[in-house]
Amino acid sequence: MKISENYSIKKITFIVSFIVFLFMMLISSYIFYQKKKSLEYHVYQTGKNYLQITSDALEVWISEQLKLAQVLASDPRVVNAAKNPKDEKIVGEAHDFLKAVHERYPQYENLPILVFTDTDFEINYNGEKKTIKNGTILTDTVEGKTIGKAGMKYNFVEEIYKGKEFFISKVYPSIFRGHPIFVLTVPVIDKGKLIGVIAVSPKMDFFTNIFLDKLKHGETGYTALFDDRWVTIAHPDNSLILNDSKEVKLRLKSIVQNMMEKNIFFKTKFNGIDKYYVIEKISLKEENTANTWYLIFAQNEEEVLSPAYKTLKVSILISLVVTLAAGFFTSFLGENHINFIEKEVLKKANANLETKVKERTEKLKVLAITDSMTGLFNHAYFLKILKKYIENSEIEKFSLIMSDLDNFKKINDTYGHPVGDEVLIQFSRIIKKNIKGCDIAGRYGGEEFVILLTECELENAIKIADKIRKDLFQYRFKDIDKEISSSFGVCEWKGEDLITLIKKADNFLYKAKISGKNCIKY
């Protein structure tokens, strides 16, 4: 077959260019899709880990409140006061005791005693008469401001009267300061008879300031707390907390709908911004609580998928270059051999074209498994390798290191992102220098790194982690006037599955962080 007209050359050039471009775009789309799924899985796992840590901490904190309430309820001074509510001396001793406890633990709003009585009576508090009715407060630790308040209409009193061992009220605004609190009540019993109630009212801020507010991820990731009234208990946006206005309910509508449908991972808009959400229900006894609590992890879609869009841009650029090269090659060949191109020559040209496409495809594959900044394996590919090691029954032992650069956001904020990028690159070089050629290192995300040490027991893994830690701490960056440190979590594989192993290493890393950073936990 010969080509004898310029029109035919242009037509073939267009067809070849179109086919090459379409093929390259299909490859780019596939890589973007795989990258997107990997990043979505990562934000889900990150959120799940954050929520599990917070949920465990919250459950422990609640159990500590219960223990304190039970200790107070069994104290002889409290029992005697509930038993003899009209005896000013006995009641005064109980008041002084609870007042001392409150002064020692200011995170409580109030530590009152409530009594059950068949008849109403009056007591004298600082010269003022207070009427005590069934289930109302006999003595408090807020200068008598709540004495005579509450009563059987409140469920945290009524449920104890019905025989509950403890009860947790709804979260509501403090009448004194407006911040969120809840009431936890336990029975006061004398010789098997219910005579009163002891209540503790912890300030939610005490927990959220220590735990929730610290759990940041990237620039936009945060953790919040809701209950089944869909009332916000804790959130970075303080204007939402305990705000049940129509405006707030409208802003939260999409999130609430997903929660009601029991979706644990979803994407929806909040304040006009697409976000990924992970939900976890707090494990508290439902029969002993007024409401069910839910923890929420959220992060902006734009930040989560940013690496995928960067990869897509590179893929499209490569596709355009390959397409232009194919079009130029076809046009050049046609113009210079218009009367001599035979069928075999065309086959050879097609073969060369396929080779170029294959080469570009291989480059795209490498790009899809590599972190472009550090040269380490990316999150998705590292997990794929780690999963293969776990599934290979011939592997006898290996260890996993998870590391996180300390105060990295502060480095970016103080010295700028280019300096922060140099810290990431240098840390990656230090990791490569300290591991064997058969070991696997990857960038888990942001300033967090993971290392798989093959044929390595825990003792040697700790030594390697410590060498990396010291090398970084001793390295001097020209634009940074202080040492840069990192924290490490190290564990040896003991037959766990992938998620359990990652979580084990991450828990050790979390312990290193809360232990002062620049250290190793295992």
Side-chain angles (χ1 to χ4, degrees), residues 154-310:
Y154 289 85
N155 59 1
F156 57 82
V157 180
E158 181 186 21
E159 294 298 327
I160 297 299
Y161 189 78
K162 290 179 179 179
K164 295 285 176 66
E165 58 181 347
F166 72 91
F167 193 78
I168 298 174
S169 76
K170 67 180 181 181
V171 178
Y172 62 93
S174 160
I175 61 174
F176 302 119
R177 301 172 187 85
H179 51 224
I181 64 170
F182 64 90
V183 177
L184 186 153
T185 51
V186 297
V188 178
I189 297 174
D190 179 55
K191 297 179 181 179
K193 180 181 178 182
L194 177 66
I195 58 174
V197 176
I198 195 76
V200 297
S201 51
K203 303 171 186 176
M204 287 301 303
D205 295 350
F206 181 78
F207 177 84
T208 56
N209 290 343
I210 295 176
F211 290 94
L212 262 69
D213 294 349
K214 306 295 183 184
L215 285 178
K216 306 290 185 180
H217 185 68
E219 297 292 330
T220 61
Y222 63 85
T223 307
L225 182 63
F226 290 75
D227 66 21
D228 58 9
R229 299 172 298 164
W230 314 123
V231 171
T232 309
I233 299 173
H235 196 283
D237 184 353
N238 291 333
S239 68
L240 298 177
I241 297 176
L242 299 181
N243 187 338
D244 60 353
S245 66
K246 290 183 179 180
E247 178 188 356
V248 170
K249 288 181 178 179
L250 184 62
R251 292 163 66 187
L252 297 173
K253 181 179 179 181
S254 180
I255 301 172
V256 170
Q257 286 177 340
N258 277 280
M259 293 173 68
M260 292 178 67
E261 293 169 5
K262 298 183 178 180
N263 294 328
I264 62 172
F265 179 58
F266 56 88
K267 184 183 75 173
T268 190
K269 284 185 181 296
F270 179 71
N271 287 345
I273 299 173
D274 285 315
K275 293 177 180 285
Y276 285 102
Y277 289 90
V278 186
I279 309 292
E280 179 163 320
K281 180 180 177 182
I282 303 299
S283 298
L284 297 174
K285 289 184 177 180
E286 294 187 3
E287 66 271 18
N288 294 93
T289 56
N291 302 103
T292 302
W293 294 0
Y294 295 89
L295 280 166
I296 294 181
F297 174 83
Q299 189 171 14
N300 288 5
E301 179 193 35
E302 182 179 2
E303 182 180 15
V304 172
L305 299 184
S306 176
Y309 287 119
K310 289 180 181 178

Side-chain angles (χ1 to χ4, degrees), residues 91-121:
V91 172
E93 290 175 351
H95 169 267
D96 292 343
F97 164 63
L98 292 174
K99 186 71 174 177
V101 174
H102 195 182
E103 289 174 354
R104 186 172 181 180
Y105 300 103
Q107 65 266 30
Y108 295 102
E109 183 78 359
N110 190 11
L111 297 176
I113 302 173
L114 301 90
V115 294
F116 294 119
T117 177
D118 295 331
T119 57
D120 298 350
F121 61 93

Side-chain angles (χ1 to χ4, degrees), residues 239-423:
S239 68
L240 298 177
I241 297 176
L242 299 181
N243 187 338
D244 60 353
S245 66
K246 290 183 179 180
E247 178 188 356
V248 170
K249 288 181 178 179
L250 184 62
R251 292 163 66 187
L252 297 173
K253 181 179 179 181
S254 180
I255 301 172
V256 170
Q257 286 177 340
N258 277 280
M259 293 173 68
M260 292 178 67
E261 293 169 5
K262 298 183 178 180
N263 294 328
I264 62 172
F265 179 58
F266 56 88
K267 184 183 75 173
T268 190
K269 284 185 181 296
F270 179 71
N271 287 345
I273 299 173
D274 285 315
K275 293 177 180 285
Y276 285 102
Y277 289 90
V278 186
I279 309 292
E280 179 163 320
K281 180 180 177 182
I282 303 299
S283 298
L284 297 174
K285 289 184 177 180
E286 294 187 3
E287 66 271 18
N288 294 93
T289 56
N291 302 103
T292 302
W293 294 0
Y294 295 89
L295 280 166
I296 294 181
F297 174 83
Q299 189 171 14
N300 288 5
E301 179 193 35
E302 182 179 2
E303 182 180 15
V304 172
L305 299 184
S306 176
Y309 287 119
K310 289 180 181 178
T311 301
L312 180 62
K313 289 178 182 178
V314 173
S315 300
I316 293 174
L317 180 61
I318 293 174
S319 299
L320 291 172
V321 171
V322 173
T323 301
L324 290 173
F328 177 81
F329 176 82
T330 305
S331 179
F332 177 82
L333 184 65
E335 289 175 359
N336 288 276
H337 301 278
I338 190 169
N339 297 314
F340 305 100
I341 297 177
E342 302 293 327
K343 186 175 182 179
E344 293 300 318
V345 177
L346 285 173
K347 286 183 179 179
K348 185 177 180 180
N350 288 333
N352 289 335
L353 181 61
E354 289 175 1
T355 300
K356 288 182 179 291
V357 172
K358 186 176 181 180
E359 290 174 354
R360 298 301 189 279
T361 302
E362 290 301 319
K363 289 181 180 179
L364 287 172
K365 288 181 179 179
V366 172
L367 185 64
I369 66 172
T370 306
D371 177 65
S372 59
M373 178 181 294
T374 63
L376 302 179
F377 288 121
N378 61 26
H379 174 90
Y381 192 70
F382 179 88
L383 290 181
K384 183 177 181 180
I385 294 176
L386 180 58
K387 183 177 181 182
K388 287 184 178 180
Y389 266 83
I390 291 174
E391 293 173 350
N392 188 347
S393 60
E394 294 178 5
I395 299 297
E396 296 182 0
K397 54 184 175 295
F398 66 89
S399 296
L400 183 66
I401 297 175
M402 293 194 76
S403 177
D404 187 77
L405 290 167
D406 296 330
N407 305 313
F408 186 72
K409 185 178 184 299
K410 189 174 181 181
I411 294 172
N412 279 334
D413 293 343
T414 304
Y415 304 100
H417 285 275
V419 175
D421 291 347
E422 179 58 32
V423 173

